[in-house]
Amino acid sequence: MKTRLTTPGWLLGMLALAQTAAAQTPTPPPRQAAIADLVTANHILANEGVLDGYGHVSIRDPANPQHYLLARAGAPALVTAGDITEYDLDSKPVSNSPAAGYQERFIHGEIYKSRPDVVAVIHCHCLDVIAFAATGVTLKPMYHMGYFLGEGAPVFDIRRTAGITNMLIETPALGQALAQSLGKGSVTLLRGHGAAVVAGALHQAVGKAYYLNINARQQLQALQLGGKIAYLLPEEAARAEQNYERSWDFWKSRLPPLR
Amino acid sequence: MKTRLTTPGWLLGMLALAQTAAAQTPTPPPRQAAIADLVTANHILANEGVLDGYGHVSIRDPANPQHYLLARAGAPALVTAGDITEYDLDSKPVSNSPAAGYQERFIHGEIYKSRPDVVAVIHCHCLDVIAFAATGVTLKPMYHMGYFLGEGAPVFDIRRTAGITNMLIETPALGQALAQSLGKGSVTLLRGHGAAVVAGALHQAVGKAYYLNINARQQLQALQLGGKIAYLLPEEAARAEQNYERSWDFWKSRLPPLR
Amino acid sequence: MKTRLTTPGWLLGMLALAQTAAAQTPTPPPRQAAIADLVTANHILANEGVLDGYGHVSIRDPANPQHYLLARAGAPALVTAGDITEYDLDSKPVSNSPAAGYQERFIHGEIYKSRPDVVAVIHCHCLDVIAFAATGVTLKPMYHMGYFLGEGAPVFDIRRTAGITNMLIETPALGQALAQSLGKGSVTLLRGHGAAVVAGALHQAVGKAYYLNINARQQLQALQLGGKIAYLLPEEAARAEQNYERSWDFWKSRLPPLR
Amino acid sequence: MKTRLTTPGWLLGMLALAQTAAAQTPTPPPRQAAIADLVTANHILANEGVLDGYGHVSIRDPANPQHYLLARAGAPALVTAGDITEYDLDSKPVSNSPAAGYQERFIHGEIYKSRPDVVAVIHCHCLDVIAFAATGVTLKPMYHMGYFLGEGAPVFDIRRTAGITNMLIETPALGQALAQSLGKGSVTLLRGHGAAVVAGALHQAVGKAYYLNINARQQLQALQLGGKIAYLLPEEAARAEQNYERSWDFWKSRLPPLR
């Protein structure tokens, strides 16, 4: 602003303060926004029945691709920002955090190692896929919202890697074996356990986990109807990529008010 | 009102004003009421699980049959009156609206062109019909609430029209092909995608979309029970036409309070 | 209370008033309580998904067995005490009520005529029985909560009585034909339509309608598992009679607060 | 705390009182906490659909292994601390309680007699297992959350013990027969009735009852998909033991606020 008189320094300072105050909703620092989004993802996945008391979701640290952010062990519905812990890709907590981490955090760390393109990882006991994993019937895309199944849906069987276990991916070696099963795709089932789902964005991962179950239900219905099933062709599936942002908005709006 | 004395003009005016004030809930202009009803339809369809984050519903403009009203792109549960946009039947926004429209608005425009009798159009990813569209098993009326299936339930396969695509009806030509599949009926399925449902009234369209899914579930159950299925005869179905007003009242009462 | 002095009349009157005031929740007259219970039954059936926007429930008038009480036409979830209308057994409104009655009230009137033991009648479009009615697979008691299916579950097909119709029981003659199908049992299915359920008490009728659907779901599952199904024997079913009072208490507690 | 002067007795007393007051949430006596947990278990089982108006859950009395705690007869959703009654293992109320007990409390007493390791017992009409009990298809662990099915899932048929009955375990003799069927496992089904589930901890029993139904649904799906089903091997199942604490936390958080 031009003035005939020299603007005193103190006045300029006052004007700067006034401008700052006028920006009523300041943008949160990126890390804080990322953590808030991850907390919301936890709540959405629980509220929509993709996760129950078990399961977890992480994001690659936006500030450091060699780290990832994951809640400490607890039910996803109850996760708060204070639970979010930073891990290196060996799944060791970066801050000397006393809180217990998920036994299966190696699912996340090892996938982030093998997949530089992946920004979010979800582990669910996805109820509708258990039967597919148990019978070896391959999930395929029934409609465009399940497009990512066109990339394949391998089944990881822990027994081939480690013999008789408690079924949990609780070591780096097991996480690596799981990441190998995942390959370059969006999902791998785990026999007798659930699934791991990945994406290049958190909202997209949440959508994939949700529609994985919907697609499984529809495929079972189609197999019950019998006859030839017209799945999406691989080229159709590839073109039908979704970002699921509109679903995210819908699911976020359905979250119960915080108590 | 008769009086012995001549009623002064100013007194008559005062009485008229008093009568108007006494009519405590003035009738909203028709367009405003139509928009409010369309917003409610969006919310009902989301709340009853017919639409999720995706899908949309429109009405022909009550003031101009060459236009239709449809929300701008967004989750149906979150639509407000301010989102309702007016389109011509080529699906161009009438007001120079900067808001993005649904990519698939051509479903609406092209159906309104080919079906002068249609007043409301719904596009859903109706979960229970995907398996029927994929297997070619034809939906038929299981009970009177699914009466409209007596008119037929063709399956539109985008591959026959346009080869390999992303499955979306995102051009006028594709909308025309879909409208051709719909013909004179109430519903056409879309292989690998969902359904389009039409009616001569908005509430009836909402009811058809809802009971389309219920009927599909029941037909799958009947096929699982095996044996001969006694669907409604075409003449029974035609006579069993429903307006679904009572369902509309019920579903409207179930909407959560606005936050 | 004995006193040495004669208790003055006014004092006795005051004591009587005091006693009445002390009875803080006075017992409502029987008719009022019966109507309140009928309204609650409407709400429970809607809230538990037995009825949707359609369907209805009545009770025989506790004061006059030649009359019955039924809401005027409207969604069960929205019924209030003011909607309850008194009908004679020819289903004519007793008070010269201008409100429209359910087209299918003849289901109630004609059953009350043929079944002096029946005190409550429910007509539902019970979603899980439609497939059974369409295929002629007979519903049988899968567990003790479905005990009443041991009495039989005939299917009424309106076409045998009246040829091509709109499927509705909208005349006394059709109501009589339906009552004939019901016979002495608790339930008759209606092909392409739903079911009618009766009991000697309102709460029991509500329980029968609810568990009719549960039992149907379980029977479909059993048929899918294959092999011989060990239904309850008729004598087991007869002994396993339920009054469903505990379910009524549970369902009543789940009703949303009145808005 | 060291001071140069002798701390007066009264001052020490005041400091002790201050410390006690500062412990703001005093630990409730163990019995009170156990009763509160049992009430919560009732509410969780109802809220998650494991129990409806019927069914019950008990714990062995923490103060006396020859007694158990069980609500008096009523819907689980409505149980309060005041309903919890103490019984001996012959299922006689210890306090001369006038309240009616569950007719089937013998399920609890007789299991506590034959199973010193059991601390909690649940009786449910678990909807998803009825078809398995009726067809004799044996439930097996589909995933780690159903690990306990690796111990077996026998079916108790009351007809083999007592001929034609009303299906209820309403005598000690019938309770003993049921406990025999249970053997050393976590669950026994009851033909035409439901299931009994046991565990060494209350939260674990609640988890087993919940996941019993989930596993049953998944097994039915797998049988519908056809082919060989890769259930958890007995050794995998044994290693995959869950305490379900995280599910308990989740389900507790989902309880509606008390009205």
Side-chain angles (χ1 to χ4, degrees), chain A residues 142-145 210-211 214 217-218 221-233 235-237 239-240 242-247 249-257, chain B residues 46 51-56 73-78 102 104 125-128 130-135 137 157-159 163-168 191-193 220 223-224 259:
Chain A
M142 288 294 298
Y143 75 145
H144 58 334
M145 300 305 273
Y210 180 88
Y211 286 104
I214 300 289
R217 265 180 247 168
Q218 295 166 338
Q221 292 169 4
L223 290 161
Q224 291 171 330
L225 285 174
K228 184 162 155 61
I229 301 171
Y231 301 104
L232 260 62
L233 295 176
E235 310 92 319
E236 288 175 325
R239 289 196 195 199
Q242 304 288 324
N243 61 23
Y244 303 115
E245 287 296 340
R246 213 175 287 165
S247 287
D249 292 340
F250 176 44
W251 296 327
K252 192 171 176 183
S253 80
R254 281 157 62 96
L255 289 174
Chain B
L51 304 183
D52 54 16
Y54 293 88
H56 21 89
L78 307 177
Y102 291 110
E104 298 200 278
H125 295 167
C126 289
L127 303 185
D128 295 287
I130 298 294
F132 283 85
T135 54
V137 176
D157 190 333
I158 198 172
R159 209 184 303 154
I164 301 296
T165 65
N166 64 1
M167 309 305 287
L168 299 182
R191 193 263 312 166
H193 190 161
L220 175 59
L223 290 162
Q224 291 171 332
R259 283 196 249 173

Side-chain angles (χ1 to χ4, degrees), chain A residues 103 158 164-170, chain D residues 144 236 239-240 242:
Chain A
Q103 283 175 280
I158 199 171
I164 300 296
T165 65
N166 64 2
M167 309 306 287
L168 300 181
I169 308 299
E170 48 183 9
Chain D
H144 58 334
E236 287 176 325
R239 289 196 194 200
Q242 304 288 323

